[in-house]
Amino acid sequence: DEDDEDDDDDKEKEDEHLPDKASPPGRRSNRGKDPAVERASERVPARARDRNSDRGAARAPGRPVDRALDRAADRRPDRATDRAPECTSEKASDRAPDRRPERAQDRVGERPTDRGDSSRARRKGEDERSREHKDASMKRDGHCSDGKRDDTADMRRDRSRDERRPSRDDRKSPPIARDDRRRDDDRRRRDDDGDRRREEEPREERRRSRSHEDRRRRDEERQRQDEEDEKRRAEDRQKRDEEKRKKEEERRRHEEELQRRRDEKRRREEAERNKVDEARRRERENERKVVEERRKKEEASKKEEVEQKRKDDAQKQEELKKKKQEDEKKRVEEEAARREEDAKVLRQQQATLSVLRVLQKLSNANPDNFDSLNSELEEVLKTELPETGAQKEVLRAEADRVLEYSKQYVEQVRDQQTKWEEMKAQQQQKTHDAEKNAKALIEELTKLVDKANSTSEIAHETAAPLSGDHELENIEVLRIGRSVEQAGKSAMTACSACADFLVQNRQAIEAAETIRTETATAIQSLQPKIQNATRQATEALQRAKEHKDKIARQIALRRSCEKKAAIFKLYDKDGDGLLNREEVIACSKIEFGFELPQENLDRICRQLFQHVRKGVAFSDFQLLRTAIGIARDEARCKVKRAERLEREAKDREQALKRQSVVSEKKGVLSETCASLMKELTALEPEIQNVEGEAAALSKQVEQLKADGIKALASKIEAAQEGVRTKLVPVQDRIAKVSKEITSMPELLEAMRVELASVRSKADAQNLRLNKILTGLSCLHSSACQQEFQANESKRMELAAKLRICIEAKGGKAEDLFKTIAGEDSDEMTKEEIWAFLEEHKCDIQREKLDALFPDAPAQQKDKEHDDKATTTNSKKKSSAAIITKERFTRVMRIFYKVVKEIVLSNSLLIDQSSQLRRMDVGEVMEVLQGPMLDPSVGVYRINGKALKDAASGWVTVAGNQGVTFLLPGGNVFKVVAPTVLAEDSKDTEGKVVVHQLKAGQILEVLEWTRTSRSALGVTRIKGKVQGHGAVGWATVMGSNGTKYLEPT
């Protein structure tokens, strides 16, 4: 303990001699303080002085945070010795030493002994020496000894050290007494700190006043400087205006001088032009006189010619008049004869029409009006038939034929009526038999499905030990694999039996039209079970096959190594582990069947006999085999070259023969091309008709509804397929002819033009049909898009209202299902959703809810739910449609698309958030919460998850300056590169393909996921192909950066 006290004294002496440090920023100046206090503060340890100054500068009256920090600092006894309060009353310092021993004695209950009296006497002596030392220090520093002034830093430090240094009695006193003394010391230090803070508050107030005055003076100085600058700028503007005015005046005088010069020049040019014009006028006058004389002579000659021509015309008119009179007389006679002939023909036509009208009625006769029409025919034949002229015999024959036909027709109708009644009775009996047969087939199919499910469960349970990581032996794995194969084959046989039974008897089941709805419901409920059983059996067989193949690869690898070692050992006759030259020759001859040439043998020895070895080691045995194979290939190449030269000679001989064959085939193929061209020409009108119908439909698109567009498009597509059916055989024949022509280059050169014309015409017709099909596909897609947009607007309205309701209660969108259906339910009904909307007074039409959740005869359960969960959660007893959680979640999903780059942050409040990453244009985000208002900046933000990398955060929808960053959308993707629609979300390789996606097709997003949370994962969406109905998983962007889908 004494050594510890000496160390404390040495440390305090070192602190006294530390150099002074500059006051920290914000600390008030020491001007105006007492010199003794300044010297005492200079002797305070630098660390304590810096800490106290920082706390004093940062603290302000009335701030509870600063007071709390001060209290926390005061409660730290280990730092109490570092503080040096500027003001501590002498009374408090004198009170503590006297009271401490008494309390310790009272608490422990010690009896006064000689040893205790001596200890107290020693402690009093130390206290007196301490006071004398303090008084001497105060006198040395110029302080008064009456105790009215504050203690200096040295006195406080000495007193703190004396109080901290335990006496011998204290060292021997119980722990309770020491704790009491420690608490008294803490209380005294808190009192001293309180006094110091109260003294510092006025100084802080004065410092703020001076700071406020300095700021006010600076503002006045700045204002005065601004006024001077403004005045100086005004003078500069006045000077610039004066200079500008002078320049304008000089420019104006200069322009006036230029204008005067231009006017003088213009007058001179005008005088010169007048002289030139006068000379030209005189020349034109002379020319006019000459022309006038020439014109008069020409007029006289023309007048004579006109007079002669007039006389000739008068003579010709007289002749024409006589001829016209003769023609008019002849025309009148012909007109009279024609009118007589027309009247006779008109009467014949009327009579003929009367007879034909009655024959038309008789041709449509029925058993009810046959007798009356027969009488009318007899009357017409008597009155009108004689007036028909040359048509009389023809009409009589036609009347006899029509009458006979009508009689036969009436008889047939009467027979058909009798047969119809009989057939109706037979049809009723047939319908009854079909219903009975359909019900029996449905029962048999149900039994087959139950059998398939049981066998697939057995296969699945048998393959369970092979799932995940296992430590089974290969023999055990093979045994389980054989069992799985047997069970899987039985399950697949049962599943195939179900599918075959359904295919074979589906037509018989659907033949019962009266119960078609019931049978369709039963089949629809059994198909998922068949698919589930098939999937389980397939997975079990696949798992067994994978383990079997893995074991087979291991065995094959081991056998290959053993075989290679056996071959090496076979040729290593001397057993030294090396193959020498003779052994290498033997290996080549026996193993490869090749006599190794000496040249190749030397090269192998030079390269593989390394260092001092006399042969090829086993590690280089594969290199040896490769070298022997290369040598064998070189020898074979030499043989092939000789064969090639021989073959080229034969080819030249055959070329001469081919020329004669070409001339013979050319005639036959020319006739074939001509016949193909005729067939293509015959198809032209049909293609034009289909094109006309497609063009008419394109013009009527805006006037038709989606169902009408689909029906007309299907009809035109059927007509197009009919034409294509006729075109395909012609194309096949063209391809056959083309192949025959191209097989002989000489024939191709001779018939290039004919072949090209036939090909081009067939390709053009095929292109036109493809264009029609593309247009119909666009119309079909447009109709589907029209239906989707109508449904999407209803879905967005319902989703927004339900989200507003749940967020008003403090929940999130993911809590909607449990709130409506209940905590322990996985299903809900449409009536529950309607009740929830009415409870929250949401105004929405019931028709929209019915359109989004239509009533269905049977609901397909989610494949991922097990049987137990389905049985437990299927508690809905009403006849309304059951809505699963997956289906409800799809309807409630809302997506936003980024239209302008924006930052993804981690908090709703922008000023309290940090940036996560930047979202690019075209990215899609699923909304989890919001839009919600950020009150700090007055903008709406949403909390969502990005499809690109599943990053979650907050994004601003629109800025407060009108800039839009996000828009609703992104739940429809367009295929930009061909890819596959797989059945499983993790099947990125497309092992089980549902549909082959083509560029331009549209996918409606149902749900999405990431294959991995790391950067190597890819985003896959489960979508429905518009116009096709196929549902599956597709990749948005591959791991290599290839983009397959993009939001529209």
Side-chain angles (χ1 to χ4, degrees), residues 222-237:
R222 190 182 302 108
Q223 184 177 1
R224 184 183 59 79
Q225 187 68 25
D226 292 342
E227 291 176 356
E228 292 178 358
D229 293 342
E230 184 63 28
K231 184 177 180 181
R232 193 162 47 252
R233 284 195 294 270
E235 292 175 356
D236 294 340
R237 280 197 300 272

Side-chain angles (χ1 to χ4, degrees), residues 479-535:
R479 185 187 63 76
I480 295 173
R482 282 194 295 270
S483 301
V484 171
E485 287 179 355
Q486 295 174 359
K489 289 179 180 178
S490 301
M492 291 299 294
T493 303
C495 294
S496 300
C498 295
D500 295 340
F501 181 86
L502 188 59
V503 171
Q504 293 171 2
N505 299 290
R506 193 180 190 108
Q507 187 174 1
I509 295 173
E510 293 177 352
E513 297 182 357
T514 55
I515 59 171
R516 179 170 293 180
T517 304
E518 298 177 5
T519 56
T521 303
I523 292 173
Q524 188 176 1
S525 62
L526 292 175
Q527 281 179 341
K529 296 181 180 180
I530 298 173
Q531 295 173 358
N532 188 27
T534 305
R535 180 179 57 79

Side-chain angles (χ1 to χ4, degrees), residues 677 680-681 684 727 756-766:
M677 183 64 74
L680 293 174
T681 305
E684 192 69 24
L727 179 61
S757 62
V758 175
R759 274 183 176 177
S760 61
K761 190 169 185 64
D763 293 340
Q765 291 183 350
N766 187 42

Side-chain angles (χ1 to χ4, degrees), residues 100-282:
R100 186 165 57 232
E102 294 176 1
R103 287 198 175 189
Q105 183 178 354
D106 292 340
R107 288 184 179 275
V108 299
E110 293 182 352
R111 291 175 297 179
T113 59
D114 295 337
R115 185 174 180 179
D117 294 338
S118 62
S119 298
R120 284 194 295 274
R122 188 183 303 108
R123 189 164 55 254
K124 289 182 179 179
E126 291 176 356
D127 292 340
E128 290 176 357
R129 288 194 298 273
S130 173
R131 291 191 186 95
E132 291 174 0
H133 177 70
K134 294 173 184 176
D135 294 337
S137 299
M138 293 175 63
K139 291 179 181 180
R140 184 175 63 252
D141 296 333
H143 286 257
C144 297
S145 60
D146 53 0
K148 295 181 180 180
R149 295 184 62 85
D150 295 336
D151 296 333
T152 61
D154 293 336
M155 295 169 63
R156 289 195 299 273
R157 185 166 60 253
D158 295 338
R159 185 171 63 252
S160 176
R161 183 180 60 210
D162 295 337
E163 292 173 357
R164 187 172 67 253
R165 183 186 300 125
S167 63
R168 294 185 182 274
D169 292 339
D170 295 338
R171 298 189 189 105
K172 297 178 181 180
S173 62
I176 297 176
R178 289 198 295 271
D179 293 341
D180 292 339
R181 287 193 298 272
R182 190 178 298 110
R183 282 194 292 272
D184 292 340
D185 295 342
D186 293 341
R187 185 170 59 256
R188 285 195 299 273
R189 281 193 295 273
R190 286 195 297 271
D191 294 340
D192 294 343
D193 291 342
D195 295 339
R196 178 177 55 78
R197 284 195 296 273
R198 284 192 294 273
E199 288 183 0
E200 286 180 352
E201 287 176 358
R203 291 198 296 271
E204 183 68 21
E205 186 65 27
R206 289 193 297 272
R207 184 187 65 78
R208 284 196 297 270
S209 299
R210 286 196 299 271
S211 176
H212 179 69
E213 185 65 24
D214 293 340
R215 188 162 53 254
R216 186 183 60 79
R217 285 196 300 269
R218 286 195 300 270
D219 293 341
E220 292 176 355
E221 180 67 21
R222 190 182 302 108
Q223 184 177 1
R224 184 183 59 79
Q225 187 68 25
D226 292 342
E227 291 176 356
E228 292 178 358
D229 293 342
E230 184 63 28
K231 184 177 180 181
R232 193 162 47 252
R233 284 195 294 270
E235 292 175 356
D236 294 340
R237 280 197 300 272
Q238 186 176 1
K239 290 180 181 180
R240 287 195 298 271
D241 293 342
E242 184 66 23
E243 292 176 356
K244 184 176 180 181
R245 187 182 59 78
K246 291 179 180 179
K247 290 180 180 179
E248 289 291 338
E249 185 66 24
E250 292 177 358
R251 188 182 302 107
R252 185 180 60 78
R253 288 196 298 268
H254 180 67
E255 288 178 355
E256 290 177 354
E257 180 65 22
L258 290 176
Q259 185 63 29
R260 185 183 60 79
R261 294 177 181 176
R262 283 196 293 268
D263 292 341
E264 291 179 357
K265 183 178 180 181
R266 194 161 42 249
R267 284 194 294 271
R268 289 195 299 270
E269 291 176 351
E270 186 68 24
E272 293 177 356
R273 279 198 302 272
N274 291 337
K275 293 179 181 179
V276 174
D277 292 342
E278 182 64 25
R280 290 177 179 174
R281 187 182 61 79
R282 286 195 297 268

